[in-house]
Amino acid sequence: DLGYADVGFHGSDIRTPHLDRIASEGVRLEQFYVAPMCSPTRAGLMTGRYPIRFGLMRSVIPPQRNYGLDTGEDMLPEMLGRAGYQYRGCFGKWHLGHAQNKWRPTERGFTHFVGCLNGAIDYFSHEREGELDWHRNDEPNRDEGYATDLIAEAAVSFIEGVPLDEPYFAYVPFNAPHSPFQAKEEDIARYPHRKGKSQVLAAMVDSMDQGIGRILEAIDDRGDADNTFVLFFSDNGGVRNVGANGRQRGSKLTVYQG
């Protein structure tokens, strides 16, 4: 739910120095298209195919729904595994099926998983609809902390644990700044000029950028930066009246540019 104009390099007052660094040192993809909501975008990334081809174009996968991304589809981590990548981690929000093990990350080509299977979890309790939704591989996990920090920490730990002569794939789908709008007090205090949900969203994006900084630092510390492809994008536009889409028309759930 990150809006086009919720980052520093697109004019926001939200502090995103690490994303700004990626934009300044790399290439900005200004005609890069995603779906109007998250599960379809994730399905497209993981398969390289239009999600309408396998029934995941029109909606997300809500809690307790007994379906997921078609197991007949060839997944990106599976392809990389065949190409010699023994280390393939997913850290964050999965949202591609959870009711049966066959739809979960470790059955779809990932060797490591830390995060939530659904969307919209509580950032502090890690619950969705009264149930814990935080996992380490195939087991529920009761790690304590703010979800954005835990995602970054898991990605960093994974990268640091890969042998120096081995390639790796790290898919890091942060749930920030998706609702519920929750942030750490110290990050909220950095945006006193904002009010309400807009203030909290700024803190959530700021926290995510801090996590991205830690991931980039881990890549740098390994000496991998010159041989690593980093792609950052939002799964859909900003939420109307909360996220900022700048000059782009529309918002999340629309097929306009925003």
Side-chain angles (χ1 to χ4, degrees), residues 1 116 119-129 134 145-149 174-189 191 196-208 242:
D1 289 1
C116 52
I121 67 162
D122 186 287
Y123 282 76
F124 295 98
S125 71
H126 314 146
E127 293 183 351
R128 173 74 190 265
E129 298 186 6
W134 197 257
Y146 186 62
T148 302
D149 293 339
F174 282 98
N175 52 331
H178 195 290
S179 61
F181 296 105
Q182 300 170 323
K184 295 178 292 184
E185 290 300 327
E186 58 266 34
D187 292 324
I188 293 174
Y191 298 93
K197 291 180 179 178
S198 175
Q199 183 184 34
V200 178
L201 177 129
M204 296 170 78
V205 175
D206 191 317
S207 179
M208 179 185 66
V242 183

Side-chain angles (χ1 to χ4, degrees), residues 21-144:
R21 172 193 163 194
I22 294 174
S24 65
E25 294 180 2
V27 175
R28 299 192 197 185
L29 306 178
E30 297 287 2
Q31 285 188 290
F32 179 93
Y33 296 95
V34 295
M37 63 189 78
C38 86
S39 291
T41 294
R42 293 156 200 268
L45 174 69
M46 286 292 106
T47 63
R49 283 166 37 91
Y50 289 112
I52 201 168
R53 293 183 180 273
F54 45 89
L56 271 184
M57 185 65 211
R58 302 299 184 197
S59 67
V60 299
I61 300 175
Q64 286 99 41
R65 295 304 198 277
N66 194 31
Y67 67 95
L69 196 156
D70 186 350
T71 56
E73 292 294 322
D74 207 7
M75 299 279 280
L76 176 57
E78 294 172 328
M79 299 175 199
L80 290 173
R82 295 194 296 270
Y85 284 66
Q86 297 186 52
Y87 298 86
R88 308 179 300 277
C90 173
F91 311 101
K93 184 175 86 164
W94 177 240
H95 224 180
L96 289 174
H98 58 275
Q100 298 184 42
N101 285 338
K102 67 180 181 179
W103 293 312
R104 297 186 177 192
T106 53
E107 293 293 326
R108 304 310 308 266
F110 286 102
T111 59
H112 298 70
F113 171 61
V114 176
C116 52
L117 296 170
N118 289 282
I121 67 162
D122 186 287
Y123 282 76
F124 295 98
S125 71
H126 314 146
E127 293 183 351
R128 173 74 190 265
E129 298 186 6
E131 297 287 342
L132 178 69
D133 186 3
W134 197 257
H135 304 264
R136 186 172 293 273
N137 293 328
D138 298 319
E139 298 297 327
N141 185 269
R142 295 194 177 276
D143 286 340
E144 294 184 356

Side-chain angles (χ1 to χ4, degrees), residues 221-244:
D221 288 347
R222 286 175 55 91
D224 288 346
D226 290 339
N227 194 32
T228 300
F229 176 71
V230 177
L231 173 66
F232 176 85
F233 65 96
S234 177
D235 57 356
N236 45 247
V239 175
R240 190 184 306 275
N241 299 324
V242 183

Side-chain angles (χ1 to χ4, degrees), residues 153-174:
E153 290 165 9
V156 168
S157 178
F158 167 77
I159 292 169
E160 291 176 342
V162 176
L164 290 176
D165 59 346
E166 290 283 348
Y168 57 91
F169 172 53
Y171 170 47
V172 192
F174 282 98

